[in-house]
Amino acid sequence: MFRDVGELRVKESNRLELIAANLRAVGMKAEVQGNDLHVEGTEQTPRGKVETAKDHRLAMAFAVLGTVDGAKIRLSEKKSVGISYPNFFRDLKRCFTS
């Protein structure tokens, strides 16, 4: 459980609701209750399409989740990452190709 994370609602997007919705979209259990985010882990490999809402932090976070062995995460867009980290995808790929 992540407590008192209501400030995530007033960033570039409503990150709190989007995190929960996107976790559900990839097969996890996630629910917002007030300012708390409840997440229940699963043995299931994350798979599904994630809505980034053009929020660079959401795109990067779910791209990292996509590095889990066997994961199949599709981002609704990737351009937003250029706002804060133009080489993010190149560097992420480099982390897993040695």
Side-chain angles (χ1 to χ4, degrees), residues 5-6 25-26 42 54 60 76 91:
V5 291
V26 299
T42 177
K54 297 183 181 178
M60 289 187 287
S76 62
D91 292 347

Side-chain angles (χ1 to χ4, degrees), residues 43-92:
E43 303 256 339
Q44 181 180 337
T45 305
R47 293 170 183 248
K49 184 174 181 182
V50 169
E51 176 54 54
T52 69
K54 297 183 181 178
D55 185 322
H56 55 124
R57 288 184 176 95
L58 283 175
M60 289 187 287
F62 280 92
V64 170
L65 181 61
T67 66
V68 170
D69 196 33
K72 300 278 189 225
I73 304 289
R74 294 179 321 278
L75 303 176
S76 62
E77 61 78 41
K78 296 179 181 180
K79 288 183 183 180
S80 62
V81 172
I83 293 169
S84 60
Y85 192 165
N87 296 321
F88 173 78
F89 290 104
R90 183 198 69 198
D91 292 347
L92 182 64

Side-chain angles (χ1 to χ4, degrees), residues 1-6 8-9 15-25 27-42 62:
M1 178 187 321
F2 300 87
R3 293 188 183 277
D4 295 320
V5 291
L8 293 174
R9 287 190 177 99
R15 286 187 187 139
L16 183 55
E17 293 293 340
L18 282 166
I19 289 168
N22 284 325
L23 287 172
R24 289 191 301 270
M28 301 184 75
K29 294 180 182 177
E31 178 183 355
V32 175
Q33 293 179 347
N35 288 324
D36 300 338
L37 174 62
H38 299 261
V39 179
E40 187 176 325
T42 177
F62 280 92

